[in-house]
Amino acid sequence: MENPPNTALTRRNLFIVGAASATAVAAHSAAAAEAGASAHGAPPLRDEAVMSVRMTVNGQMRTLALDTRTTLLDALREQLQLTGTKKGCDHGQCGACTVIVDGRRINSCLTLAVMHEGAQVTTIEGLGNPQKLHALQAAFVKHDGYQCGYCTPGQICSAVGVLDEIKAGIPSHVSADLTARPLLSADEIRERMSGNICRCGAYSNILDAITEVAESNGGAA
């Protein structure tokens, strides 16, 4: 009588067999899912999704084909080459990326570009240019409201939003009476600008620049 074949499995061979089986099952499941999607008219599975987004940037209609994970900051800098808007912390903590969207200042690093279909976006480039500076840009130059200048675009865009908020009567954390129109005070401006960090420490000059524009324009930018 012949000896039965040796059917003993080593620990190593057992792992190899298990891994091969798992891989085969996963590949079959992925193929089945893709086939099912195609049968129902859905696009095949992809590693990334691209969407077309239309928005008005600095007065010009732009259409972008973007990965849905693209932030507004990266869309402005990488797709439209509007590099005036700076990437600082990329966590919404420094304010260097502040832009104005539909009349409100936001941190562009914290929002996806695809969320702003049809929006009106204004960056530092849209506020003014060297030939015709925005009032706040001119005031920052006059009062030396910057040193390295990295945070300055975000500071100026945020200041535009701050003065519009005060003019609209929107209260802040230092507003004593939430039903009264906010006072144009140093404390009010400091509180509203607290999300914009200047690592060079030019805060007193920034405050002077914003105050001058606010007083000359009756509280608006």
Side-chain angles (χ1 to χ4, degrees), residues 15-180:
F15 283 134
I16 292 174
V17 172
S21 299
T23 301
V25 170
H28 174 75
S29 299
E34 185 168 344
S38 299
H40 289 83
L45 298 176
R46 297 185 297 175
D47 291 335
E48 57 186 32
V50 175
M51 286 183 61
S52 177
V53 182
R54 287 168 56 87
M55 61 180 71
T56 302
V57 182
N58 298 333
Q60 182 179 357
M61 176 62 70
R62 307 300 295 263
T63 301
L64 303 174
L66 298 172
D67 182 322
T68 54
R69 298 165 294 185
T70 304
T71 64
L72 179 59
L73 171 60
D74 286 337
L76 293 171
R77 288 181 57 84
E78 307 299 333
Q79 300 292 324
L80 299 179
Q81 286 73 55
L82 294 171
T83 54
T85 304
K86 299 296 186 254
K87 178 178 286 193
C89 65
D90 213 21
H91 287 78
Q93 297 175 348
C94 72
C97 68
T98 304
V99 297
I100 302 168
V101 177
D102 293 332
R104 296 181 61 186
R105 55 186 174 130
I106 67 170
N107 291 324
S108 59
C109 74
L110 292 183
T111 184
L112 297 175
V114 295
M115 298 169 61
H116 300 288
E117 171 71 27
Q120 300 277 341
V121 181
T122 302
T123 69
I124 189 67
E125 293 92 344
L127 289 179
N129 56 61
Q131 291 71 43
K132 187 177 180 181
L133 294 175
H134 185 279
L136 276 165
Q137 291 173 316
F140 266 66
V141 173
K142 174 183 176 181
H143 292 279
D144 197 18
Y146 54 86
Q147 288 184 34
C148 77
Y150 195 84
C151 72
T152 305
Q155 296 274 3
I156 292 175
C157 285
S158 190
V160 171
V162 163
L163 297 186
D164 285 345
E165 291 166 9
I166 293 175
K167 183 178 181 181
I170 300 173
S172 74
H173 289 293
V174 296
S175 299
D177 185 353
L178 298 182
T179 62

